[in-house]
Amino acid sequence: MKLKSYDPSNGELLGELEYSSNENTQRVIEKAKIAQKQWKSIPLQERVQIIDKAFKSLIPYQEELAVLLCKEMGKKHNRGLSEVRGSIFSGAHYAKEAGIALSPQPNSSIEFRSLGVCAVISPWNYPLAMAVNLITPALVAGNTVVFKPSEETPLIADKFVALLNSALPANVLNILHGDGLVGSTIVDSPDINLVAFTGSLEVGKKIMASASNNLTRLVMELGGNDPMIVLDDANLDAAAQFAVASSFENSGQMCTSTERVYVQSKVAHEFIAKVKAIASHYKIGPWHDENTHLGPIINERQLSKIDFHVKDALSKGANLLLGGQILDGRYYEPTVITGMKPDMQMESNETFGPIIAISEFESIEEAISRANNSIYGLGAVVFGQTNARAVANQIEAGMIGINKG
């Protein structure tokens, strides 16, 4: 059985890879388990050097990797190249930093032991960056890795791993391809000692339930619905620029994208006008068109979700200032909506599209309450002067920026 990968901008078949059967999945996990015994016996700083060398060996392939990433995921060339370069740098950098963190400390008897075989299940929106963040520290710590990339971006992951493996010992870093069924087989295996997952809340819940059978350790990042609060003494030019850039980055397909904007009524009219003016300059097109800013949406399912959220908002009284339409291919127009309310899908759920959804507020308490009224808590940002830090201190999120992301 083959796993096929398509260009999201035009539906062109880019390539296909072998879909991992249950038997093959178990076989790869067993190989990783055996290899781990040798890998963990290599001294920590030697492992660091091996991993550092492996990532640096990818430098000559940066452009080749960037083109493949852009074709498969749809992001613009400059963004794809930045992700490739960043992943190569981060891999080497994280290896050294993890090596320092795991080294014996003076006057301490604490030792860090490897866990065994770690599974890494990564998303399609940043197919290299998100994977490297999880793979590198696992390897440094003496674990072997079984990596299942998203079925939306298997080709770039496969190429990246193949290049790394030319400089790594055999079966230390392994890759398996397939959909959720392959992922479930990996998670259910008693030989997997930790699962590191980046993806949706729904899939995260399934993984947690499955992992409980073997008490498998978990590291998970499960999406976001990040709020932005704009106070009446904020620098409105800077706030508007941030709102647009953050909401539209990677066509809105970013877990830390700004999804909900709450602006104080006193400055709402001016802020909204600035947002609309900036957003109106954004153009959509394929990855190689240097005159455009936003690429396609990854698949029809995600495109339909974005459109559903917009139509839901409009049916409940929101105002459409810009965009709001599906265009040829899998493109969604850069969109600005005002009048967002708590009963709308885009306020309560992650949209993951190029949408700027704005709501006005009178009291700061109201803005804080609505910002915190979410099942998510990944990130947030507050723009303002006098009370910005006091407001930020009341936001329930893991990462909070003041006048910046």
Side-chain angles (χ1 to χ4, degrees):
M1 184 176 174
K2 297 292 185 180
L3 178 65
K4 296 182 178 181
S5 181
Y6 299 90
D7 182 332
S9 69
N10 56 25
E12 175 188 340
L13 178 65
L14 295 174
E16 53 186 32
L17 293 163
E18 197 66 36
Y19 185 104
S20 183
S21 64
N22 284 348
E23 294 76 15
N24 181 64
T25 298
Q26 297 296 350
R27 187 162 52 248
V28 168
I29 292 173
E30 180 61 25
K31 287 181 178 179
K33 184 178 179 181
I34 294 171
Q36 195 267 336
K37 292 177 173 59
Q38 175 63 31
W39 178 242
K40 73 175 181 179
S41 70
I42 297 174
L44 172 62
Q45 292 307 320
E46 262 189 63
R47 292 199 300 267
V48 169
Q49 291 172 10
I50 291 170
I51 295 166
D52 176 71
K53 182 179 178 181
F55 275 100
K56 288 178 178 176
S57 72
L58 272 60
I59 291 174
Y61 304 96
Q62 291 178 112
E63 178 63 21
E64 179 184 348
L65 289 166
V67 169
L68 179 56
L69 189 157
C70 293
K71 285 182 176 180
E72 193 169 38
M73 191 269 142
K75 66 179 62 181
K76 310 306 296 181
H77 179 260
N78 62 331
R79 294 292 196 266
L81 185 58
S82 177
E83 180 175 347
V84 170
R85 288 174 174 170
S87 297
I88 293 171
F89 171 81
S90 295
H93 175 70
Y94 292 161
K96 292 177 181 177
E97 290 298 310
I100 293 171
L102 295 175
S103 296
Q105 301 299 312
N107 304 316
S108 172
S109 60
I110 296 175
E111 295 182 9
F112 295 97
R113 301 284 178 88
S114 57
L115 294 174
V117 182
C118 296
V120 170
I121 303 175
S122 66
W124 47 262
N125 57 335
Y126 291 89
L128 297 186
M130 294 296 97
V132 166
N133 289 349
L134 300 172
I135 290 171
T136 305
L139 293 179
V140 172
N143 306 292
T144 51
V145 171
V146 174
F147 172 36
K148 195 205 85 67
S150 168
E151 59 269 33
E152 299 289 352
T153 50
L155 300 180
I156 181 60
D158 199 73
K159 181 67 174 178
F160 194 78
V161 168
L163 290 171
L164 280 176
N165 275 338
S166 65
L168 291 174
N171 302 317
V172 165
L173 175 58
N174 309 271
I175 188 167
L176 294 171
H177 294 291
D179 56 16
L181 293 176
V182 175
S184 295
T185 302
I186 295 170
V187 173
D188 289 341
S189 172
D191 292 322
I192 293 294
N193 303 100
L194 177 143
V195 175
F197 170 72
T198 304
S200 72
L201 179 64
E202 292 74 19
V203 175
K205 289 180 178 179
K206 292 179 181 178
I207 289 175
M208 179 171 279
S210 296
S212 68
N213 293 325
N214 296 309
L215 297 179
T216 306
R217 296 170 178 84
L218 295 173
V219 175
M220 298 197 291
E221 189 264 281
L222 305 179
N225 190 18
D226 287 12
M228 173 183 181
I229 295 177
V230 183
L231 303 174
D232 59 13
D233 61 351
N235 180 327
L236 296 185
D237 287 322
Q241 289 172 1
F242 178 88
V244 175
S246 178
S247 298
F248 288 172
E249 179 63 30
N250 206 27
S251 296
Q253 301 170 118
M254 181 173 69
C255 55
T256 53
S257 172
T258 294
E259 300 232 349
R260 302 174 286 148
V261 181
Y262 303 105
V263 57
Q264 204 151 15
S265 296
K266 182 180 178 180
V267 295
H269 180 77
E270 184 180 357
F271 172 77
I272 290 168
K274 290 178 182 293
V275 166
K276 182 181 177 182
I278 297 169
S280 65
H281 292 292
Y282 277 68
K283 298 178 181 179
I284 59 174
W287 67 273
H288 52 78
D289 188 341
E290 295 181 356
N291 297 315
T292 61
H293 310 91
L294 305 180
I297 304 304
I298 190 66
N299 56 38
E300 292 292 341
R301 182 176 65 257
Q302 181 58 30
L303 187 64
S304 296
K305 179 184 179 182
I306 296 166
D307 196 47
F308 169 67
H309 279 203
V310 170
K311 288 178 178 175
D312 170 77
L314 297 180
S315 73
K316 295 174 180 175
N319 306 302
L320 181 65
L321 302 188
L322 187 72
Q325 298 292 323
I326 295 175
L327 299 182
D328 291 342
R330 293 198 193 127
Y331 294 98
Y332 202 89
E333 285 185 306
T335 298
V336 179
I337 286 176
T338 60
M340 178 181 63
K341 300 175 184 176
D343 65 340
M344 295 176 181
Q345 288 289 330
M346 61 177 52
E347 174 145 355
S348 58
N349 293 299
E350 185 177 44
T351 301
F352 228 57
I355 313 296
I356 306 171
I358 305 172
S359 183
E360 299 180 26
F361 68 89
E362 294 293 338
S363 71
I364 292 176
E365 291 74 20
E366 176 194 354
I368 294 170
S369 176
R370 288 179 67 181
N372 287 339
N373 186 26
S374 173
I375 58 174
Y376 299 95
L378 185 59
V381 65
V382 178
F383 271 77
Q385 302 302 321
T386 304
N387 295 313
R389 182 165 294 277
V391 171
N393 286 338
Q394 297 178 69
I395 300 299
E396 298 167 359
M399 301 177 288
I400 303 170
I402 299 177
N403 295 318
K404 61 181 179 179

